[in-house]
């Protein structure tokens, strides 16, 4: 559900775990769009697309990561 996805996306930003932040050049024609790969408290890996408006984050979409995105996240967040 949308509420569940919104809560999970918020969870990703609150955690102290690393986030992988990328500029989404392909979709940034009208406004600067970014995406982030992150993990929720229960270990769920998410891909979140967002824009920044007046110092607020507006989530465009949040979904579970694909296998490839999960591999990128895990490879780049090993401490």
């Amino acid at each position: 559900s949308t509420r569940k996805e919104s809560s999970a996306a918020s969870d990703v930003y609150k955690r102290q775990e690393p986030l992988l932040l990328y500029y989404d050049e392909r979709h940034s024609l009208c406004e600067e769009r970014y995406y982030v790969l992150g993990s929720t408290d229960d270990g769920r890996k998410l891909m979140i697309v967002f824009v920044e408006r007046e110092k607020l984050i507006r989530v465009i979409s949040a979904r579970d990561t694909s296998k490839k995105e999960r591999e990128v996240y895990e490879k780049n967040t090993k401490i």
Side-chain angles (χ1 to χ4, degrees), residues 7-46:
S7 176
S10 177
D11 192 23
V12 168
Y13 287 105
K14 291 178 190 174
R15 290 179 48 90
Q16 297 300 312
E17 294 294 316
L19 295 174
L20 296 180
L21 176 67
Y22 299 94
Y23 178 68
D24 187 358
E25 190 173 333
R26 244 178 75 196
H27 297 102
S28 293
L29 299 176
C30 297
E31 59 189 346
E32 291 188 347
R33 205 178 266 203
Y34 299 89
Y35 66 95
V36 68
L37 300 177
S39 179
T40 63
D41 285 335
D42 63 359
R44 187 174 170 199
K45 306 292 188 285
L46 294 180

Side-chain angles (χ1 to χ4, degrees), residues 1 3 8 10 23 25 30 34 39 46 50 54 56 60 63 68:
S1 77
R3 184 175 300 275
S10 177
Y23 178 68
E25 190 173 333
C30 297
Y34 299 89
S39 179
L46 294 180
F50 69 95
E54 299 175 18
L56 295 175
I60 305 292
R63 62 169 173 75
K68 183 177 178 181

